[in-house]
Amino acid sequence: MSTEMTAALIELSRQRQAEFDSELSAWRDSDGAGLRLWCGPGCGNCCSLAVNTTLPEALAIADSLTDGQRQQVAAAIARITTHARESTDARGFLAGYRRAVGSCPFLDAEASCSIYPVRPLACRALLATRPPDWCGVNLAELPELERNGFLSSLDRSVVAFPTHYAAAPQELAANFERGLGFAMIRFVGFGVTGNLPLLVWLAGQAGFIEALSGGPATFLQFLSTHQIHQPFLVQIDVP
């Protein structure tokens, strides 16, 4: 895989994100017009959730980072990989992510996204139908009465139940992510998705391009070299 191919994947990611933004705007003007969405600058609570993204999107983010942002990502990797080793499965990894890892390394001091123009589809699609405080709540830790009251207040025709995030944008983003995955398979021969900060960090490591060029087995060996063994951290799609 050449640097030209990497550049092509980055450009494709930017194009698809622009198309998603356009379709999302159309949804907000039509089916989503009457829906109150609470997201705005500085809310930041959802930015402590684990985010999965496609490799083309991670490449675009890595290409945009400052040295300071790269240092923040590197600092987060130790927490992510330690938490992964201590998690028995994907469910445990996701449930404990917020407490073990903390906020996204791309969240700035004002609780705003420092990579907003190139943020991944998964983040673009996460639109809250409840005030921001709810985005920082772990429902499993709520008293049963309060949890059940919250869940019963959700409109299941609107949200991705049991969350309070609008379903339609997430479904739209999933379609675009699949498209990016198929594109990567055409370019490279296999697809890669995974934890957002981890993929961004991997893209900057020595031997990354060569590992992608070598095929799935070589890329798995590259992951192993960096002590990344858990399938809930990085997923490889081989057609």
Side-chain angles (χ1 to χ4, degrees), residues 6 9-14 17 51-65 70 73 106 115 118-122 177 180 184 192-204 208 212 219 233-234:
T6 302
L9 288 172
I10 290 172
E11 180 58 28
L12 181 64
S13 171
R14 290 170 176 162
Q17 288 178 346
V51 174
N52 237 49
T53 192
T54 66
L55 185 57
E57 293 176 276
L59 291 171
I61 293 168
D63 187 57
S64 74
L65 297 184
R70 291 189 184 92
V73 171
F106 302 122
I115 58 164
V118 291
R119 71 198 187 284
L121 290 161
E177 287 173 335
L180 282 172
M184 184 173 173
V192 179
T193 56
N195 177 268
L196 169 61
L198 183 60
L199 286 189
V200 172
W201 178 77
L202 285 171
F208 175 78
L212 277 181
F219 192 72
L233 282 180
V234 178

Side-chain angles (χ1 to χ4, degrees), residues 30-218:
S30 55
D31 294 346
L35 186 61
R36 172 71 186 274
L37 298 174
W38 293 80
C39 304
C43 53
N45 280 336
C46 68
C47 302
S48 57
L49 296 171
V51 174
N52 237 49
T53 192
T54 66
L55 185 57
E57 293 176 276
L59 291 171
I61 293 168
D63 187 57
S64 74
L65 297 184
T66 64
D67 289 341
Q69 288 172 319
R70 291 189 184 92
Q71 291 172 5
Q72 290 174 324
V73 171
I77 296 307
R79 298 192 297 273
I80 292 170
T81 53
T82 297
H83 176 51
R85 286 193 297 270
E86 295 172 350
S87 301
T88 56
D89 54 24
R91 183 171 184 173
F93 176 74
L94 294 174
Y97 190 89
R98 172 174 274 150
R99 183 172 295 157
V101 177
S103 296
C104 175
F106 302 122
L107 200 66
D108 66 20
E110 285 73 44
S112 293
C113 179
S114 67
I115 58 164
Y116 194 81
V118 291
R119 71 198 187 284
L121 290 161
C123 296
R124 293 167 192 261
L126 202 64
L127 300 178
T129 65
R130 292 291 187 276
D133 285 350
W134 281 107
C135 300
V137 171
N138 185 341
L139 290 181
E141 296 177 353
L142 286 179
E144 183 178 4
L145 185 63
E146 188 175 356
R147 180 173 63 251
N148 290 342
F150 172 76
L151 292 174
S152 66
S153 74
L154 299 175
D155 184 345
R156 298 193 187 202
S157 68
V158 171
V159 302
F161 190 84
T163 78
H164 62 286
Y165 298 107
Q170 293 190 55
E171 293 165 0
L172 179 62
N175 287 333
F176 275 92
E177 287 173 335
R178 281 192 288 271
L180 282 172
F182 292 145
M184 184 173 173
I185 289 171
R186 289 197 304 273
F187 283 134
V188 185
F190 64 102
V192 179
T193 56
N195 177 268
L196 169 61
L198 183 60
L199 286 189
V200 172
W201 178 77
L202 285 171
Q205 300 309 296
F208 175 78
I209 297 296
E210 292 79 5
L212 277 181
S213 303
T218 303

